Amino acid sequence: MVINGLEICSLAENTEHIPAISQLLNEEWSSFAHWAEPARIGERLRTRISNDTREFTLVAFADKQTIAGTASVIRYELDDHPGREYWLGEVFTCAGMRGKGIGSALVKACIQKAKAAGIDALWLYTPDQQALYARLGWQEAEQREQAGEQVTVMKLPL
């Protein structure tokens, strides 16, 4: 699919990019245990795209080989509320490409794919991008601490 001039593809069809994506996510969030080791990130990505749930990861390419960003739909990223099944996460834009709508394009593509998969709501948490997600229709559900930082949990009914 093409959104905002970006080619957005499923990671399941582009598995050769898993090592590079794992490294990018590690560089961005290595201070958090979940992203501290590129090898573990790669394992999670491989598991996500090969299981039988409706989880997925999308990759935006600036050209055929240049990764611009990623976003995922993850089952039970936070699992303390059973009704909050599918979560938007790992929304990442490469540093040199920020401010060009790549993150928003990835979020919109995840929403389209989640709707097509029959998911009825998406959840996310963010420490600092509440305004962006609110512009895209997300609604605040709660404030909480996650991985040592204050975050806002938001919901988007599909």
Side-chain angles (χ1 to χ4, degrees):
M1 102 180 44
V2 177
I3 298 180
N4 292 356
L6 292 167
E7 180 77 24
I8 298 178
C9 306
S10 170
L11 181 59
E13 298 162 2
N14 294 275
T15 58
E16 70 276 13
H17 294 286
I18 290 175
I21 291 167
S22 299
Q23 188 61 44
L24 288 167
L25 295 176
N26 168 258
E27 289 169 6
E28 184 70 13
W29 296 310
S30 63
S31 61
F32 298 104
H34 201 59
W35 290 280
E37 299 174 36
R40 287 184 54 217
I41 297 166
E43 288 172 22
R44 281 198 314 275
L45 292 170
R46 283 183 190 85
T47 299
R48 182 178 307 138
I49 63 177
S50 66
N51 66 25
D52 291 333
T53 68
R54 294 178 275 185
E55 294 179 289
F56 58 86
T57 295
L58 299 179
V59 184
F61 292 99
D63 58 49
K64 292 289 183 194
Q65 293 298 314
T66 305
I67 297 166
T70 68
S72 299
V73 169
I74 303 162
R75 190 165 187 239
Y76 292 118
E77 183 168 17
L78 300 182
D79 59 5
D80 57 342
H81 292 280
R84 298 176 177 180
E85 187 171 5
Y86 288 98
W87 291 75
L88 177 71
E90 298 172 351
V91 179
F92 168 77
T93 302
C94 292
M97 299 181 191
R98 292 182 182 152
K100 299 178 182 180
I102 294 168
S104 294
L106 282 160
V107 170
K108 290 173 185 175
C110 282
I111 292 166
Q112 288 176 1
K113 188 171 174 78
K115 281 181 182 178
I119 295 172
D120 62 358
L122 285 175
W123 296 85
L124 65 79
Y125 65 89
T126 181
D128 59 0
Q129 295 297 317
Q130 296 86 340
L132 167 72
Y133 291 112
R135 283 193 303 275
L136 297 172
W138 296 75
Q139 304 157 355
E140 183 176 329
E142 71 172 315
Q143 300 286 321
R144 68 185 288 170
E145 185 176 313
Q146 180 63 32
E149 67 180 345
Q150 284 301 120
V151 300
T152 303
V153 174
M154 302 180 84
K155 177 183 180 181
L156 180 70
L158 304 178

